[in-house]
Amino acid sequence: MKAFAALLDRLAYTPSRNDKLKLMADYFASAPDPDRGYALAALTDGLFFRVPFRRIFAEMLETRVDPVLFRLSRDYVGDTAETISLLWPARKDDAPPPRLADVVEAVQAADKSEIPVLLAGWLDRLDATGRWALLKLLTGALRVGVSARLAKTALAQWSGKPLAEIEEVWHGLAPPYAALFAWLAGDAPPPDTAGKAVFRPLMLSHAIEDRELTGITPADFVAEWKWDGIRVQASHHGGEKRLFSRTGDDISGAFPDVVEALPEGVVLDGELLVMRGGEVAPFNDLQQRLNRKTVSASMLKSHPGHIRLYDLLFEGDEDLRGLPFEDRRARLEAWHAEHIPQHTDVSDIIDFTSISELESLWAGARETGIEGLMLKRRDSPYIAGRPKGHWYKWKRAPQMIDAVLMYAQRGSGKRSSYYSDYTFGAWRATKTGEPELVPVGKSYFGFTDEELKQLDSFVRSHTVDSFGPVRQVEPKLVFEVAFDSVHRSARHKSGVAMRFPRIHRIRWDKPAEEADRLETLTGLIVD
Amino acid sequence: MNPDRFDSWLKIDAKGLYCRPGGFYIDPHSAVRNAVVTHGHSDHARPGHGAVLATKETLAIMRARLGELAPRLPQEAAYGEPVSIGDVTVTLFPAGHVLGSAQVLIEYEGVRAVVSGDYKRSADPTCAPFELIPCDLFVTEATFALPVFQHGDARGEAAKLLRSVAQFPERTHVVGAYGLGKSQRLIALLRAEGYDRPIYLHGALQACCDLYESFGVALGALEPATGAKREMLKGQIVLAPPSAIADRWSRRLPDPLTSFASGWMRVRARARQQGIELPLVISDHADWRELTDTIAETGAREVWVTHGREDALLHHIRSTGRRGRALALIGREDEDQ
């Protein structure tokens, strides 16, 4: 537990991705089995305990801690679990602290009535960091800034095995992942996943700019619309039906309608959308179904899921990934025509003979939900990762507004000495007709390191107020902000939320009064 | 003045805590004619006093930090040596807080009051260890007076820093540490863990380190960080005042990893708010257990709480059957920064 607690503690404070990878890789290299397997499970959200820990903690505290002191402490610390870990009045116990595996296996095997005694014993034998990690582990909310994919990337970094191979076997395995670690440590062959509904790493595309399009030979490529949903992989193998996100997270639970419809013996690639009456709904509607463990019947009805299919990876046990795209596409169409599963359709192929024809087609496309165009080589095999020279995505030119810098916040990691996160606003009129700025977005990228230095000194010399790490600045500096789209939002004071805003240009020259008004943004709302 | 009614002879006024039968203040926050000063931190040792009774070390620190505004009439008192002032006898005893820090025992008509100043009871190789003084009235600090503050063994925190230096040898570990006391204690802790490479210092820390060494506290090889070649600082430990670790000054360091040695680092939100990547819980103040144990061990029937989180400590004091009172002294900062 000590090494795992130290790992979580460091991860929680470490902003850099590379340093997080190093911390995890070092842990996987040195921790014994099965502890490291359970740690991996915790980091990839693979551990669930059906025990009401919060209630148990509350009951245990009553017997050990003065309620006035607990309340004052809780108010100061701001987090109940952390407060418990810090002030737990440990009774002296000479037994060694528990191992991570002891804790996990004991909780899984224990009767509910035994849990409080077990827990009190562990809390007594751990230090504050150990208690904090124990509470995080048991309540299932690590929140240390590690995604499942990052943890798997650390496994790859430590073992030297490609990430794609790890992801390919991942979903056939269960904690504490003995077979996985045996393979990664070089002591055993890869775990056998034939015939299981496992995630096959996706093939991704490169962004292409307008000017690069001249290098494309139309005869070698096919074009498809790029839909504004999320890329998914759907599979039904060995009786298991699964829907995976682009990064291999299992999102089946949130989309039972889509998953149910899949016939046996298939792995598909497509875009997950919400569709109503044959129309793609705005991305916001899809977002309401994401990040849920389960979904209500009314939600299934009002926000029906749908996959627009792009590719066929497996049919039965046959791996099609080595075939050229054209052949896979023919197999996809034939398969779909045979099964016609509900909640799916096949993405249209767009005929074109020249890039200019494609451009005018796109300019004329009025359908909602189109985010751009995909260009795919006719002869490309399906290659995991982002291989060069095969697939291109051509996105619409971004929209722009001129907004005024209002607040700046310190960044993290390498940027912790800089005011690098910017909140900007647009003008609107108050009730009395006075102009006022209202925040419309926040961004921390799009500028160069040199510009960051200039922005940082601008913030420092134009600060009018500060709130902890945030500074309010004189409304003087204009940013040309690029963004993909703008949506209505009840959560923001301005009533709008931008998608993917970035600082396109700093307009040192432009007077703040000439920046855009809020109405300009609301006029661009797409939903 | 009734010796048994403490507030008849120990008073709070606009300048601080005043001992009437002795005619002096203890750690007054503005200039006075006569003062007893417990230790050299700037919120206790203010400029412009006339006569000051303090330890030799505290007076040296005041001279170094205050220059022309150092006490005009310094009077040295050794630990344990009684000094008569007016109708009272004053004796200084080690407080274990920083070099020269003292508790002040005031005896008046057979009644004993101890003003703790700031203190800690855990080991510190850079200053004399705390001595327990039985008394009737105990005037205590309360910087970390919440049960969540239980400072562990500081040696473990020094080891944590060294583990990180070994794990991330390409980064410069810049550690925020208060200039007087914390810096020297951290250096001594690192030396005790076997770290013998030079430790690099922000310019503001040099004078206090020199002073400690002049009093015989060995700190090993120290180098200035300001002016050192950027490449040379890679993989090194750099100590700086907390205000400099994540600001313009630290940009001169190659890929800095910010750390902070403070009792406040026990609370995650405090560390996160300041963008600390490696919090080190090292405090020069008593933690909750030390505060409550000390109060009990002094045998005091009444306890006054000077500054900090007094609500919790007063609740505890009253629940143990003692009289408790909050002094709410002004001018004390959020200490241990």
Side-chain angles (χ1 to χ4, degrees):
Chain A
M1 197 74 204
K2 199 176 157 78
F4 176 65
L7 172 69
L8 286 192
D9 187 47
R10 284 301 305 260
L11 287 173
Y13 286 117
T14 299
S16 146
R17 180 178 180 275
N18 284 345
D19 289 349
K20 281 184 199 277
L21 285 174
K22 163 103 172 120
L23 290 165
M24 286 189 280
D26 286 357
Y27 173 83
F28 292 133
S30 60
D33 290 318
D35 289 344
R36 61 182 175 181
Y38 286 119
L40 178 63
L43 290 166
T44 53
D45 295 328
L47 285 180
F48 299 101
F49 304 105
R50 297 192 177 282
V51 180
F53 282 110
R54 292 188 189 279
R55 206 180 65 221
I56 292 172
F57 292 140
E59 285 167 7
M60 285 169 55
L61 276 175
E62 270 176 31
T63 63
R64 287 220 196 181
V65 182
D66 177 313
V68 174
L69 293 179
F70 184 79
R71 180 179 53 77
L72 288 169
S73 297
R74 166 69 183 73
D75 289 351
Y76 184 80
V77 173
D79 177 273
T80 305
E82 187 184 340
T83 307
I84 297 170
S85 70
L86 290 176
L87 60 55
W88 181 256
R91 289 177 188 152
K92 207 172 152 43
D93 187 336
D94 290 328
R99 285 179 50 179
L100 174 58
D102 297 341
V103 170
V104 174
E105 287 164 9
V107 172
Q108 282 169 343
D111 185 80
K112 246 182 215 170
S113 61
E114 301 169 302
I115 299 268
V117 175
L118 278 173
L119 201 52
W122 293 328
L123 289 172
D124 282 344
R125 278 140 55 196
L126 289 163
D127 64 8
T129 308
R131 291 192 292 260
W132 169 79
L134 176 72
L135 266 51
K136 282 201 156 270
L137 175 78
L138 296 181
T139 52
L142 291 191
R143 295 206 191 96
V144 292
V146 172
S147 64
R149 188 178 171 84
L150 196 68
K152 291 174 209 164
T153 308
L155 288 178
Q157 186 169 315
W158 154 60
S159 64
K161 299 277 193 294
L163 176 60
E165 287 181 27
I166 294 170
E167 288 188 318
E168 182 125 9
V169 299
W170 179 260
H171 288 279
L173 306 173
Y177 302 110
L180 175 70
F181 277 99
W183 167 54
L184 294 176
D187 301 333
D192 180 22
T193 57
K196 288 186 177 168
V198 298
F199 176 65
R200 319 282 171 176
L202 296 188
M203 177 162 174
L204 304 172
S205 61
H206 287 269
I208 190 166
E209 303 275 329
D210 295 13
R211 58 193 152 75
E212 295 170 293
L213 284 166
T214 49
I216 297 282
T217 312
D220 293 344
F221 284 83
V222 300
E224 287 178 273
W225 296 120
K226 178 169 165 46
W227 297 95
D228 191 12
I230 65 166
R231 264 295 277 296
V232 287
Q233 183 173 100
S235 65
H236 184 175
H237 250 292
E240 290 177 46
K241 297 178 184 180
R242 292 275 184 275
L243 190 64
F244 297 112
S245 75
R246 208 180 81 158
T247 50
D249 294 327
D250 187 342
I251 55 170
S252 316
F255 295 93
D257 44 352
V258 173
V259 177
E260 259 330 293
L262 292 172
E264 164 73 31
V266 71
V267 179
L268 296 155
D269 182 328
E271 195 85 16
L272 181 63
L273 305 162
V274 166
M275 289 266 277
R276 289 194 199 92
E279 292 272 325
V280 176
F283 187 79
N284 262 0
D285 288 22
L286 177 62
Q287 225 158 15
Q288 298 190 33
R289 283 198 56 179
L290 291 169
N291 301 324
R292 287 167 185 272
K293 290 232 160 77
T294 58
V295 59
S296 68
S298 64
M299 185 67 113
L300 285 173
K301 211 166 172 192
S302 63
H303 292 66
H306 183 94
I307 306 181
R308 186 149 281 172
L309 299 169
Y310 293 139
D311 219 321
L312 180 63
L313 275 50
F314 280 75
E315 190 173 3
D317 284 333
E318 188 188 354
D319 186 347
L320 308 183
R321 290 178 293 176
L323 299 179
F325 174 77
E326 271 186 324
D327 296 3
R328 295 199 309 277
R329 171 76 196 193
R331 297 276 298 260
L332 172 66
E333 288 173 14
W335 175 87
H336 194 263
E338 185 190 335
H339 296 279
I340 320 178
Q342 286 192 308
H343 296 278
T344 64
D345 62 5
V346 177
S347 154
D348 285 338
I349 294 285
I350 304 164
D351 290 320
F352 74 108
T353 50
S354 69
I355 294 297
S356 57
E357 188 188 344
L358 203 55
E359 273 176 332
S360 61
L361 262 174
W362 186 10
R366 284 282 167 268
E367 210 172 335
T368 58
I370 292 178
E371 198 193 347
L373 271 167
M374 291 296 301
L375 292 164
K376 297 179 176 175
R377 278 196 86 89
R378 292 176 185 274
D379 59 2
S380 293
Y382 194 97
I383 306 165
R386 207 184 293 275
K388 285 211 169 74
H390 292 275
W391 288 6
Y392 298 101
K393 63 176 169 227
W394 182 23
K395 280 203 184 184
R396 250 183 231 280
Q399 314 196 64
M400 303 270 188
I401 60 152
D402 286 338
V404 182
L405 174 63
M406 297 177 71
Y407 302 97
Q409 185 170 358
R410 281 192 193 239
S412 56
K414 280 191 193 345
R415 284 178 163 190
S416 57
S417 77
Y418 291 94
Y419 287 90
S420 63
D421 298 10
Y422 307 110
T423 301
F424 37 81
W427 295 105
R428 72 172 174 194
T430 62
K431 279 185 195 126
T432 58
E434 296 291 310
E436 69 163 356
L437 281 171
V438 57
V440 294
K442 195 175 172 180
S443 182
Y444 49 87
F445 65 102
F447 39 83
T448 64
D449 287 354
E450 196 46 47
E451 286 172 328
L452 173 59
K453 282 186 191 159
Q454 293 164 359
L455 288 170
D456 179 72
S457 58
F458 175 88
V459 169
R460 288 169 190 270
S461 54
H462 293 84
T463 299
V464 293
D465 206 349
S466 59
F467 319 91
V470 178
R471 290 201 185 190
Q472 183 180 358
V473 299
E474 272 180 81
K476 274 194 138 153
L477 184 60
V478 177
F479 288 154
E480 194 173 290
V481 178
F483 54 97
D484 284 3
S485 57
V486 58
H487 302 264
R488 226 172 274 289
S489 164
R491 283 193 321 194
H492 297 85
K493 191 177 159 195
S494 61
V496 297
M498 295 163 135
R499 262 190 92 193
F500 200 45
R502 58 266 188 198
I503 312 293
H504 186 67
R505 239 179 352 144
I506 307 165
R507 294 294 304 268
W508 298 103
D509 57 311
K510 186 160 188 165
E513 309 80 72
E514 292 176 21
D516 277 308
R517 302 181 54 81
L518 182 59
E519 297 85 74
T520 311
L521 261 183
T522 45
L524 297 170
I525 288 175
V526 290
D527 47 359
Chain B
M1 289 182 283
N2 174 357
D4 285 315
R5 278 196 49 229
F6 308 117
D7 59 359
S8 71
W9 58 279
L10 279 171
K11 295 269 192 191
I12 300 295
D13 69 20
K15 291 178 172 176
L17 181 61
Y18 181 65
C19 173
R20 275 175 69 193
F24 60 85
Y25 285 87
I26 299 138
D27 291 352
H29 57 80
S30 51
V32 299
R33 187 192 297 256
N34 294 299
V36 174
V37 171
T38 59
H39 66 283
H41 278 147
S42 57
D43 50 344
H44 292 260
R46 308 297 299 167
H49 298 321
V52 167
L53 180 81
T55 62
K56 181 170 63 180
E57 294 87 348
T58 298
L59 290 170
I61 291 163
M62 290 178 81
R63 267 197 304 280
R65 297 188 133 195
L66 301 176
E68 286 183 5
L69 295 174
R72 284 186 298 282
L73 292 168
Q75 185 186 354
E76 277 180 29
Y79 290 132
E81 177 189 280
V83 179
S84 290
I85 308 178
D87 295 336
V88 301
T89 304
V90 171
T91 316
L92 303 184
F93 290 96
H97 176 56
V98 297
L99 182 70
S101 65
Q103 309 170 72
V104 183
L105 167 67
I106 307 169
E107 291 167 284
Y108 176 51
E109 306 270 342
V111 172
R112 294 160 63 89
V114 167
V115 180
S116 74
D118 293 334
Y119 66 100
K120 72 168 176 290
R121 302 192 62 175
S122 47
D124 181 346
T126 66
C127 66
F130 177 92
E131 276 180 36
L132 185 83
I133 315 301
C135 54
D136 304 297
L137 168 68
F138 186 51
V139 183
T140 184
E141 65 143 318
T143 308
F144 289 110
L146 275 177
V148 292
F149 292 109
Q150 297 172 27
H151 311 315
D153 189 342
R155 288 177 299 186
E157 299 299 285
K160 179 177 170 185
L161 172 59
L162 293 180
R163 266 201 307 281
S164 182
V165 171
Q167 198 169 15
F168 296 100
E170 68 293 342
R171 301 190 67 181
T172 305
H173 284 64
V174 54
V175 190
Y178 194 81
L180 171 61
K182 190 65 61 66
S183 304
Q184 296 76 26
R185 183 176 179 209
L186 179 58
I187 293 168
L189 283 164
L190 291 169
R191 298 304 184 210
E193 292 295 309
Y195 187 76
D196 54 8
R197 281 150 63 184
I199 292 171
Y200 290 81
L201 299 181
H202 183 284
L205 305 183
Q206 189 67 52
C208 278
C209 288
D210 291 347
L211 206 98
Y212 268 62
E213 294 214 281
S214 74
F215 280 99
V217 179
L219 299 175
L222 304 176
E223 301 278 348
T226 318
K229 281 217 176 66
R230 193 180 163 87
E231 203 48 34
M232 289 236 324
L233 295 173
K234 215 172 175 175
Q236 305 293 347
I237 295 174
V238 175
L239 264 54
S243 60
I245 55 173
D247 211 340
R248 293 174 178 190
W249 183 82
S250 64
R251 288 183 201 162
R252 72 192 66 215
L253 308 173
D255 198 6
L257 189 156
T258 51
S259 179
F260 188 9
S262 164
W264 299 115
M265 292 297 104
R266 177 120 171 138
V267 175
R268 284 168 190 276
R270 278 294 278 249
R272 268 199 303 272
Q273 189 187 25
Q274 297 173 65
I276 303 301
E277 281 188 60
L278 188 70
L280 303 175
V281 185
I282 303 179
S283 171
D284 285 339
H285 292 265
D287 68 5
W288 175 254
R289 207 165 286 166
E290 293 172 28
L291 290 168
T292 54
D293 286 355
T294 305
I295 287 167
E297 290 167 20
T298 59
R301 62 178 184 272
E302 185 162 329
V303 180
W304 293 357
V305 180
T306 56
H307 59 287
R309 263 128 287 276
E310 58 266 8
D311 294 355
L313 196 57
L314 286 171
H315 172 81
H316 168 83
I317 289 165
R318 287 165 189 160
S319 72
T320 59
R322 294 180 174 81
R323 283 169 57 101
R325 178 185 166 201
L327 296 190
L329 290 182
I330 56 169
R332 292 280 195 270
E333 288 146 25
D334 211 1
E335 290 203 20
D336 200 46
Q337 285 292 341

